[in-house]
């Protein structure tokens, strides 16, 4: 993508299928049980693995005693030194590696062994008989007590520190300021489907059926872990029951299953329990965010400070980029946006839905609300006054930016004019009523992605790419893109995903999936159009493809007549200078009404309006579903989601879906979500931008701003549970 694509093949709308809210083409397969998820593959002679986890927060394992476990019924093997096995795969049946599991443990629940048995239940029972001989080492379990030790990350894919101008001077000069600290807790992705792997070997090659977001990348990870050439690893991830970041990378059960399977010469299935998913797959880091905003009396920002501390294990580079949207959302000359890591012996932290914006806008958008109040300005107005004409850091143009339009449309639909204007001032019986709003913003990304599309002699189109559909609608939108460009009804498109035998795709992450994999399908179909035009004896510009017919001037013939024994084309998209020369992001606005019970502090979200501008919408139904899901995530972040680490050893104590509270159906009102018309020619040939993670961004802040409006209480410590409101509620 080195230049804007002025005219998209999706513009013509000849087949009239793009953007339509059509049902998921994989829906019938899913509801009839025909969509096979990772743990559901039925292989001959399959053995079952169960992970054994360390039950201490930091220490050294001297020895793992597996004798009792081995004696349990059905037990085939206990693997305690997976590293040694990778170093020497030929050790085969030799029972014990010399190290006998000697290793360091960095966090409570870290997987250290795998028991393999004939059945899952036998493996699980035997896992309880594994005895770990260990000695404790001093661990870091008190985040607040360790803030001083925070260090600048050495890597990461985003700039960790950005300084522009003199923020201290700008704050001192500002007439109105906000300077406060917000904290957000560790969170779990809580995908419905557990992390699961089935490994099977054929000679020196392994196939892993996994629940994974990025097969091309996961293939490389597994090849690295097993010290194998890429060609000897195949990943299959055809259906994924949610990932939200927790399945961007392979987890321990995948490597363990692959090693066990090779050693035993049988397929091995390893499925994490829900508790293991909580203990041993990535969490979203907790954060401590200091926001400083300084403005003139008329509400123009002079200073924007966003300093984030997050946590991770020693030597891990990933940091929660909470200031991601702060870089480009609002104007302001002096800027300081930093991220530092506090080293903790807590579970590894990594990406979870909208890493950065999801946590960061919980702070930034509440700070903006506080600033608006001090300025006696409508918070919508404050945001509009600080809508920059170009990126405030790079000076680059925005590719497209309809932030103000989103604010206006959502405000109008919500009835913002009729909002409660006195915090704590509107009461209906026991309930205090409040209204709040917040911005949504999320960077747009494009990743290298490839696809093959071929036309069969029967006139069907087949798409092959190792892209995934993690519940987002990829199967459907790829079919729509091909259908539109090739002039075929959607039911004449077959979409084959999630197998590294197909062309390598960008995978599902960072909201780049639809744009990246969709563009590769677009480009393949564009080549096919050219081939069809040639067969038709006209130019691609003259050719019209519609309803399975090729039309040129006054000639029309069925597509099949041009295909011969089959036509095939590759498409490949790569990011280019457009991503550097323009600031690409999607925008939105959230408005909500909450009621807070004046007696109990119970908080209910009762009304919601969001508007988003995210380039072309490829399928209105799947897009809206993404946004509804994101907003619900935001409600969870505001009100209930919180991993609690035991202060003695870092153990996550609420490690299941009964104790880790995500919103349920009854917690969510009707969510009024609509999209503004938009085309972004700088983003990709589809003119679409990333959407999935846009909607979580800012959503929780709208809830908390509404809680303030209802009660007059600013809670800056997420989640805002009722106990934090009780002390400030009016006397009964
Ligand atoms: Mo996303 S957190 O990149 O799955």
């Amino acid at each position: 993508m080195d230049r804007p694509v002025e005219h998209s093949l999706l513009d013509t709308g000849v087949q009239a299928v793009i953007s339509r809210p059509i049902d998921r083409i994989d829906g019938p397969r899913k509801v009839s049980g025909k969509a096979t998820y990772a743990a559901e593959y039925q292989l001959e002679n399959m053995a079952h693995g169960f992970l054994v986890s360390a039950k201490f927060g930091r220490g050294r394992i001297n020895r793992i005693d597996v004798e009792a476990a081995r004696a349990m019924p059905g037990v085939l093997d206990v693997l305690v030194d997976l590293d040694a096995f990778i170093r020497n795969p030929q050790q085969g049946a030799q029972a014990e590696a010399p190290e006998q599991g000697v290793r360091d443990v960095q966090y409570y629940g870290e997987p250290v062994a795998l028991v393999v048995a004939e059945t899952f239940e036998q493996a699980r029972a035997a896992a309880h008989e594994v005895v770990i001989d260990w000695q404790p080492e001093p661990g870091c379990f008190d985040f607040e007590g360790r803030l001083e030790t925070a260090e600048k990350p050495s890597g990461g894919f985003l700039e960790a520190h950005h300084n522009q101008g003199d923020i201290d001077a700008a704050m001192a000069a500002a007439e109105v300021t906000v300077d406060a600290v917000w904290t957000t807790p560790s969170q779990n992705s809580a995908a419905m489907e557990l992390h699961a792997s089935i490994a099977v070997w054929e000679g020196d090659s392994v196939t892993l059926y996994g629940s994974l977001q990025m097969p091309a990348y996961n293939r490389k990870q597994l090849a690295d872990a097993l010290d194998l050439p890429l060609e000897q690893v195949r990943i299959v991830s055809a259906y994924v029951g949610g990932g939200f970041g927790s399945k961007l990378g392979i987890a321990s059960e995948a490597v363990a299953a692959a090693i066990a399977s090779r050693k035993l010469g049988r397929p091995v299935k390893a499925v994490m329990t829900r508790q293991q998913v909580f203990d041993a797959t990535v969490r979203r880091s907790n954060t401590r965010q200091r926001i400083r905003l300084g403005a003139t009396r008329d509400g123009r920002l002079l200073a924007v400070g966003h300093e984030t501390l997050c946590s991770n294990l020693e030597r891990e580079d990933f940091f929660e980029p909470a200031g991601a949207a702060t870089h480009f959302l609002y104007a302001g000359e002096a800027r300081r946006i930093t991220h530092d890591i506090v080293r903790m012996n807590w579970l590894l932290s990594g990406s979870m839905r909208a890493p950065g914006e999801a946590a960061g806008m919980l702070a930034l958008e509440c700070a903006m609300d506080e600033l608006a109040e001090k300025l006696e300005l409508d918070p919508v107005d404050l945001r509009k006054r600080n809508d920059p004409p170009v990126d405030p850091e790079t000076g680059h143009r925005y590719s497209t930016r309809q932030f103000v339009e989103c604010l206006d449309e959502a405000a109008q639909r919500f009835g913002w004019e009729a909002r409660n204007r006195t915090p704590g001032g509107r009461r209906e019986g026991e309930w205090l009523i409040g209204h709040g709003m917040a911005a949504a913003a999320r960077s747009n990304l494009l990743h290298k992605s490839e696809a093959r599309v071929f036309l069969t002699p029967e006139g069907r189109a087949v798409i092959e790419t190792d892209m995934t559909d993690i519940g987002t609608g990829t199967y459907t939108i790829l079919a729509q893109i091909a259908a539109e460009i090739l002039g075929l009804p959607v039911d004449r498109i077959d979409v084959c995903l999630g197998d590294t035998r197909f062309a390598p795709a960008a995978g599902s992450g960072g909201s780049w999936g639809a744009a990246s994999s969709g563009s590769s399908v677009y480009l393949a179909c564009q080549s096919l159009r050219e081939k069809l035009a040639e067969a038709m004896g006209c130019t691609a510009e003259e050719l019209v493809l519609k309803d399975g017919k090729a039309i040129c001037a006054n000639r029309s013939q069925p597509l099949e007549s041009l295909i011969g024994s089959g036509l095939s084309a590759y498409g490949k998209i790569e990011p280019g200078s457009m991503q550097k020369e323009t600031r690409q992001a999607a925008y939105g606005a959230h408005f909500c009404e909450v009621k807070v019970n004046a007696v109990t502090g119970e908080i209910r979200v009762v009304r919601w309006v969001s508007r988003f501008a995210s380039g072309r919408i490829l399928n209105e139904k799947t897009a809206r579903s993404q946004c509804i899901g994101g907003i619900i995530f935001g409600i969870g972040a505001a009100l209930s989601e919180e991993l609690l680490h035991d202060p003695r050893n870092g153990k996550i104590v609420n490690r299941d879906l009964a104790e880790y509270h995500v919103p349920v159906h009854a917690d969510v009102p009707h969510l009024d979500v609509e999209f503004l018309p938009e085309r972004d020619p700088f983003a990709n040939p589809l003119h679409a931008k990333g959407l999935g993670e846009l909607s979580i961004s800012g959503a929780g802040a709208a809830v908390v701003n509404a809680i303030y409006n209802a009660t007059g209480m600013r809670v800056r410590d997420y989640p805002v549970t009722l106990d934090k409101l009780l002390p400030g509620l009016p006397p009964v």
Side-chain angles (χ1 to χ4, degrees):
M1 238 353 242
D2 284 326
R3 63 189 70 82
V5 176
E6 296 294 344
H7 301 287
S8 173
L9 290 172
L10 302 181
D11 288 339
T12 59
V14 174
Q15 191 62 30
V17 63
I18 211 70
S19 303
R20 297 249 174 243
I22 65 168
D23 292 344
R24 282 162 201 264
I25 61 174
D26 48 324
R29 266 171 276 161
K30 284 183 172 171
V31 297
S32 63
K34 288 182 185 134
T36 308
Y37 288 79
E40 298 178 325
Y41 286 87
Q42 305 294 325
L43 303 185
E44 277 297 295
N45 200 27
M46 190 147 64
H48 297 262
F50 192 93
L51 289 167
V52 180
S53 310
K55 293 188 173 52
F56 52 93
R58 172 107 204 279
R60 182 151 181 88
I61 294 179
N62 300 319
R63 188 170 180 277
I64 298 180
D65 185 348
V66 301
E67 240 170 81
R70 280 183 180 282
M72 294 283 285
V75 172
L76 299 164
D77 206 346
V78 184
L79 288 86
V80 298
D81 195 339
L82 303 172
D83 292 340
F85 191 78
I86 294 165
R87 285 194 300 275
N88 179 19
Q90 303 314 324
Q91 69 177 274
Q94 182 189 322
E96 282 304 298
E99 287 91 344
Q100 295 192 316
V102 174
R103 57 174 287 172
D104 291 319
V105 166
Q106 297 294 324
Y107 63 89
Y108 196 104
E110 189 171 341
V112 296
L114 184 80
V115 177
V116 191
E118 293 292 348
T119 69
F120 171 81
E121 289 77 8
Q122 289 170 335
R124 183 179 57 187
H128 292 298
E129 303 303 319
V130 172
V131 181
I132 300 177
D133 170 21
W134 62 282
Q135 67 204 51
E137 282 170 17
C140 306
F141 307 116
D142 174 16
F143 180 79
E144 288 296 324
R146 290 179 49 73
L147 300 180
E148 297 306 315
T149 66
E151 56 188 47
K152 185 179 170 183
S154 55
F157 68 102
L158 285 170
E159 178 190 38
H161 285 195
H162 175 82
N163 282 295
Q164 183 177 325
D166 185 340
I167 185 140
D168 297 318
M171 284 295 286
E175 291 162 295
V176 182
T177 61
V178 169
D179 181 352
V181 170
W182 281 260
T183 58
T184 67
S186 297
Q187 293 179 337
N188 182 275
S189 288
M192 290 274 271
E193 183 198 17
L194 302 166
H195 288 58
S197 290
I198 295 175
V200 56
W201 291 76
E202 254 176 83
D204 286 334
S205 296
V206 65
T207 298
L208 188 94
Y209 300 89
S211 179
L212 295 163
Q213 295 177 220
M214 302 180 62
Y217 167 64
N218 305 132
R219 181 189 199 194
K220 185 168 183 327
Q221 286 185 303
L222 190 61
D224 286 350
L226 300 174
D227 202 12
L228 285 177
L230 207 54
E231 306 74 56
Q232 284 167 228
V233 177
R234 176 187 173 203
I235 303 278
V236 177
S237 182
Y239 300 96
V240 180
F244 311 116
S246 72
K247 296 168 181 169
L248 284 170
I250 56 173
S252 46
E253 101 289 343
V255 182
I259 292 170
S261 169
R262 183 171 219 184
K263 192 171 175 204
L264 292 171
R266 295 171 62 170
V268 171
K269 167 152 90 174
V271 183
M272 287 195 186
T273 61
R274 179 60 67 184
Q275 289 83 358
Q276 287 171 337
V277 170
F278 272 88
D279 282 347
T281 70
V282 290
R283 69 187 161 97
R284 191 201 296 282
S285 175
N286 64 310
T287 67
R288 181 186 190 278
Q289 303 175 51
R290 179 188 183 193
I291 303 268
R292 283 184 286 173
L293 300 174
T296 59
R297 188 71 334 271
D298 62 350
R300 280 183 304 108
L301 282 167
L302 303 171
V304 176
H306 194 164
E307 292 155 275
T308 299
L309 299 181
C310 60
S311 61
N312 212 341
L313 292 165
E314 277 306 330
R315 290 185 295 279
E316 292 292 338
D317 276 341
F318 178 87
F319 61 89
E320 181 67 35
T326 315
H327 285 295
F328 62 84
L329 185 52
Y330 300 120
E333 268 302 297
R335 312 175 75 84
R336 177 171 167 76
I337 299 166
T338 63
H339 305 85
D340 294 283
I341 305 178
V342 178
R343 300 298 174 184
M344 298 292 296
N345 292 109
W346 285 351
L347 166 66
L348 178 70
S349 64
S351 290
M352 179 173 142
R353 202 173 197 177
E357 292 90 340
M361 293 181 76
L362 292 174
L364 177 69
E365 286 302 291
C366 289
M368 286 294 280
D369 202 68
E370 297 195 21
L371 182 65
E373 184 181 32
K374 287 189 172 181
L375 289 162
E376 296 176 6
L377 271 182
D378 175 354
V380 175
D381 193 16
L382 173 64
R383 286 166 173 86
K384 287 196 208 172
R385 286 180 196 208
N386 290 286
D387 186 53
V390 295
D391 184 283
E393 294 181 4
T394 62
H396 291 153
R397 66 163 293 168
Y398 291 102
S399 60
T400 52
R401 174 174 166 125
Q402 292 199 82
F403 176 44
V404 168
E405 291 80 354
C406 287
L407 288 168
D408 284 341
E409 289 222 2
Q412 199 195 352
R413 171 70 189 179
F414 184 80
W416 187 239
E417 269 308 301
R419 71 189 179 277
N420 171 42
R421 287 167 196 257
T422 314
R426 192 175 293 184
R427 188 169 174 149
E428 291 170 11
E430 274 187 12
W431 295 93
L432 299 162
I433 310 295
H435 302 106
M437 59 79 54
R442 165 81 186 167
S443 297
N444 180 61
L445 299 166
L446 183 69
H447 269 238
K448 188 166 82 173
S449 208
E450 298 177 36
R452 176 176 180 246
V453 181
F454 60 96
L455 287 165
T456 69
E458 299 75 37
R460 296 185 70 79
V462 181
I463 300 169
E464 288 181 346
T465 168
D466 78 5
M467 183 59 191
T468 49
D469 185 329
I470 61 173
T472 43
T474 316
Y475 278 105
T476 313
I477 57 125
L478 293 186
Q480 284 174 279
I481 291 165
E484 187 65 50
I485 300 176
L486 298 173
L488 288 172
V490 168
D491 63 10
R492 277 169 66 177
I493 315 281
D494 298 309
V495 186
C496 308
L497 301 181
D499 188 332
T500 54
R501 284 184 173 170
F502 304 142
S508 300
S511 298
W512 62 61
S516 306
S517 69
S519 293
S520 67
V521 169
Y522 174 107
L523 294 172
C525 292
Q526 187 173 37
S527 299
L528 286 174
R529 267 189 114 259
E530 281 158 16
K531 292 181 191 198
L532 291 166
E534 201 183 309
M536 189 75 175
C538 66
T539 67
E541 289 69 36
E542 291 164 338
L543 181 68
V544 174
L545 298 174
K546 184 174 166 56
D547 294 332
K549 289 193 192 64
I551 303 153
C552 183
N554 58 357
R555 291 183 292 136
S556 167
Q557 42 187 110
L559 205 61
E560 298 91 301
S561 67
L562 302 173
I563 293 171
S565 60
L567 283 179
S568 161
Y570 265 93
K572 179 179 183 179
I573 188 84
E574 278 183 287
S577 54
M578 285 298 95
Q579 278 205 316
K580 297 186 198 92
E581 291 166 16
T582 62
R583 167 58 81 175
Q584 297 183 15
Y587 298 88
H590 304 286
F591 288 75
C592 72
E593 177 175 309
V594 304
K595 57 180 186 178
V596 178
N597 190 290
V599 180
T600 65
E602 178 185 350
I603 304 155
R604 309 300 304 173
V605 179
V606 293
R607 201 155 65 81
W608 197 285
V609 174
S610 293
R611 291 293 179 267
F612 301 108
S614 184
R616 189 194 308 273
I617 299 303
L618 299 169
N619 177 320
E620 255 191 52
K621 185 181 286 184
T622 57
R624 183 173 291 112
S625 294
Q626 281 297 293
C627 290
I628 288 170
I631 294 165
I632 294 170
F633 254 84
I635 294 173
L639 300 180
S640 62
E641 291 190 47
E642 176 176 30
L643 288 178
L644 294 159
H645 300 273
D646 189 318
R648 297 165 300 180
N649 54 19
K651 178 186 175 176
I652 294 165
V653 296
N654 54 340
R655 52 209 269 279
D656 59 46
L657 293 175
E659 301 284 340
Y660 181 85
H661 293 161
V662 298
V664 298
H665 201 76
D667 295 324
V668 182
H670 172 71
L671 303 175
D672 176 339
V673 171
E674 298 287 346
F675 304 101
L676 272 60
E678 185 175 292
R679 307 276 183 266
D680 191 334
F682 301 93
N684 52 63
L686 311 174
H687 296 172
K689 287 193 286 202
L691 183 68
E693 294 165 319
L694 171 65
S695 54
I696 181 175
S697 306
V703 175
V704 174
N705 291 338
I707 292 172
Y708 169 71
N709 183 255
T711 64
M713 273 182 278
R714 295 272 185 204
V715 179
R716 301 194 187 97
D717 173 30
Y718 284 90
V720 182
T721 44
L722 55 81
D723 52 297
K724 296 174 187 171
L725 295 177
L726 279 176
L729 290 173
V732 183

